[in-house]
Amino acid sequence: VTSSLPIAVDGGPDPIPRMRASARRELILAAATSVFADRGYVGATTDQVAKAAGVSQPYVVRMFGTKENLFLEVLQRDLDRLLVVFRAAIADPTESMSLEHRLGLAYVSLLDDDGLLLSLMHGFVLGRDARIGAAARAGFMTVYGMLRHEAGMDAQQASTFLANGMLLNTLIGTRMADDYSTSADVRELLETAMPTKLDVLLNMSKRSR
Amino acid sequence: VTSSLPIAVDGGPDPIPRMRASARRELILAAATSVFADRGYVGATTDQVAKAAGVSQPYVVRMFGTKENLFLEVLQRDLDRLLVVFRAAIADPTESMSLEHRLGLAYVSLLDDDGLLLSLMHGFVLGRDARIGAAARAGFMTVYGMLRHEAGMDAQQASTFLANGMLLNTLIGTRMADDYSTSADVRELLETAMPTKLDVLLNMSKRSR
DNA sequence: GTCTATAGGATGATAGAC
DNA sequence: GTCTATCATCCTATAGAC
């Protein structure tokens, strides 16, 4: 990540930082998403995030104040991305597919975004924590509200859609694809629960061994 | 928890322990289930478990070797209980309800078992950890296998059933019931996703505030 | 803006008495 | 079987130089 960005010049009157703070910020948030996905909120350390982003640990803390703030920003960023993808699917002119199908594909496409779904899932099991719990509930309900009021689903459809999403998240969280080759039941379940994008899951499994 | 169990007698030639090790063990496992449900595997401390069980922290470690072993035993115990409840539902002579409905009620009845579903859920997001991940995958697939091969569901039915279970777990994990009174969407979702046992959820919410 | 050094606090695990 | 005392480690956060 040693890029061609402006570097401080010796003697320059106003040293230019290595990178815009906003770019570093995004870099750190992306790294944090991946680390939190792997280790969970408590299990992840600010040092692991820093190393993944190529900066120092105190810098991460300095930029976000606390680890909790960092995680909250990660959740917000992930949710924002999810909403963007969903809104695109809703507005999609492709009429050959049902809206439900388009949203399903949109959800599964988020697998490409490293750690996004799993970071959210880690937030979803921490309802006990005051701030994280509040953010998780609000985020989850934002998605439900979108399904109900923007996508036009009824309560049952929205609930079923979310249920399948949570199953997918669980299959990612357990790294079920790791056992793909060792059990016929696993193959069957994975192929039933996510016929599309099975290849992505299996690649994730291989990559991070 | 100072009970009427046998206490060591002064001068007795063979001091009787305060409680059978097996009983203490079960006591600690139950306490641990609750604590892990609240804080997650990494977030929970052996000291919190010890306090919840009314024993000393080193004793918890002594009895289970490591915190990881303790969590693995908790997962196994929770899974065993779940399987017992499911097998009972399958064998249930009540023919007025469909098997699927009976299993659904059985699953929801596990809400009464403090922390059981949520402890399992915490295991399900830690696939990255070698031992916990392996246990989580095996446990999850045991349930799937039971649905497929003992309950006679087809792949689609089993997948849908599990999906609804994971949604329920997520609603518990986020403590969504805490927001029951503040949002019509929350009420609608909770009533759609779990018409039965809504009262249990709401009570949990009140109790632990 | 970004780093090095480090303080301060918790936590899992061990030693050893009773 | 169970406890008290304690060690060693790790980790968030702060201080302060450049």
Side-chain angles (χ1 to χ4, degrees):
Chain A
V1 194
T2 39
S3 64
S4 55
L5 284 171
I7 297 285
V9 177
D10 236 345
D14 191 6
I16 299 161
R18 292 236 178 85
M19 191 181 279
R20 269 178 221 289
S22 66
R24 276 263 189 256
R25 202 182 177 76
E26 168 56 24
L27 196 68
I28 293 174
L29 283 173
T33 295
S34 172
V35 173
F36 281 129
D38 256 24
R39 317 272 187 157
Y41 166 59
V42 189
T45 71
T46 53
D47 193 52
Q48 289 165 348
V49 172
K51 289 222 167 61
V55 298
S56 69
Q57 180 267 334
Y59 185 52
V60 172
V61 174
R62 177 71 74 102
M63 180 166 268
F64 295 92
T66 65
K67 176 176 152 179
E68 187 180 42
N69 284 344
L70 171 60
F71 187 59
L72 289 170
E73 291 214 31
V74 163
L75 291 181
Q76 190 57 56
R77 171 178 174 276
D78 290 348
L79 178 67
D80 289 343
R81 292 179 161 228
L82 184 149
L83 294 176
V84 164
V85 168
F86 273 18
R87 291 219 162 86
I90 292 174
D92 187 342
T94 306
E95 287 296 341
S96 62
M97 257 185 283
S98 73
L99 178 63
E100 219 150 343
H101 195 172
R102 294 208 305 275
L103 283 170
L105 284 184
Y107 192 78
V108 167
S109 80
L110 293 171
L111 283 170
D112 290 330
D113 201 321
D114 184 33
L116 189 151
L117 293 177
L118 202 38
S119 278
L120 285 173
M121 201 63 181
H122 277 291
F124 291 157
V125 288
L126 294 181
R128 178 47 134 68
D129 180 284
R131 293 180 68 204
I132 295 174
R137 289 190 291 277
F140 195 91
M141 289 313 296
T142 301
V143 178
Y144 183 77
M146 163 175 275
L147 295 176
R148 286 286 280 114
H149 310 306
E150 295 184 44
M153 289 185 181
D154 64 30
Q156 186 57 60
Q157 287 173 318
S159 172
T160 299
F161 183 84
L162 288 175
N164 279 107
M166 295 308 104
L167 174 58
L168 183 63
N169 288 354
T170 305
L171 293 176
I172 306 168
T174 54
R175 294 181 155 258
M176 195 60 82
D178 286 8
D179 289 359
Y180 185 78
S181 55
T182 65
S183 152
D185 274 353
V186 170
R187 279 195 291 282
E188 183 186 270
L189 173 57
L190 288 176
E191 275 152 19
T192 304
M194 40 166 315
T196 326
K197 285 283 183 181
L198 224 186
D199 54 329
V200 178
L201 258 196
L202 295 176
N203 279 336
M204 284 173 54
S205 172
K206 259 180 281 177
R207 202 186 318 147
S208 54
R209 191 155 289 281
Chain B
V1 195
T2 38
S3 66
S4 57
L5 283 172
I7 296 287
V9 177
D10 236 345
D14 191 5
I16 299 161
R18 293 239 177 84
M19 192 181 280
R20 271 177 221 288
S22 66
R24 276 263 190 256
R25 201 182 178 76
E26 168 56 26
L27 197 68
I28 294 174
L29 283 174
T33 294
S34 172
V35 173
F36 281 129
D38 256 23
R39 316 272 187 156
Y41 166 59
V42 189
T45 70
T46 54
D47 193 52
Q48 290 165 348
V49 172
K51 290 221 167 62
V55 298
S56 70
Q57 179 267 333
Y59 186 52
V60 172
V61 174
R62 180 68 76 97
M63 181 166 267
F64 295 91
T66 64
K67 176 176 154 180
E68 187 180 42
N69 284 344
L70 171 59
F71 188 59
L72 289 170
E73 291 215 31
V74 164
L75 291 181
Q76 189 58 55
R77 171 179 173 277
D78 291 347
L79 177 67
D80 288 345
R81 293 180 160 227
L82 184 149
L83 294 176
V84 164
V85 170
F86 273 19
R87 290 220 162 86
I90 293 174
D92 187 343
T94 306
E95 286 297 340
S96 62
M97 258 186 282
S98 73
L99 178 64
E100 220 149 343
H101 194 172
R102 295 208 304 275
L103 283 170
L105 284 183
Y107 192 78
V108 167
S109 79
L110 293 171
L111 284 171
D112 291 329
D113 201 321
D114 182 34
L116 189 151
L117 293 178
L118 203 37
S119 278
L120 285 174
M121 202 63 181
H122 277 290
F124 291 159
V125 287
L126 294 181
R128 176 49 133 67
D129 181 284
R131 294 180 67 203
I132 295 174
R137 290 189 291 275
F140 195 90
M141 290 312 297
T142 301
V143 178
Y144 183 77
M146 163 174 276
L147 295 175
R148 285 286 280 115
H149 309 304
E150 295 183 45
M153 290 185 180
D154 64 29
Q156 186 58 59
Q157 287 173 317
S159 173
T160 299
F161 183 85
L162 288 175
N164 279 105
M166 296 308 103
L167 174 58
L168 183 64
N169 288 354
T170 305
L171 293 176
I172 306 168
T174 54
R175 295 180 153 258
M176 195 61 82
D178 287 8
D179 289 358
Y180 184 79
S181 56
T182 65
S183 152
D185 273 352
V186 170
R187 280 195 291 284
E188 182 186 90
L189 172 58
L190 287 176
E191 276 153 18
T192 304
M194 38 168 315
T196 327
K197 284 285 181 178
L198 224 187
D199 54 328
V200 177
L201 258 195
L202 295 176
N203 279 335
M204 283 174 53
S205 173
K206 259 180 281 178
R207 202 187 319 148
S208 53
R209 192 159 290 281

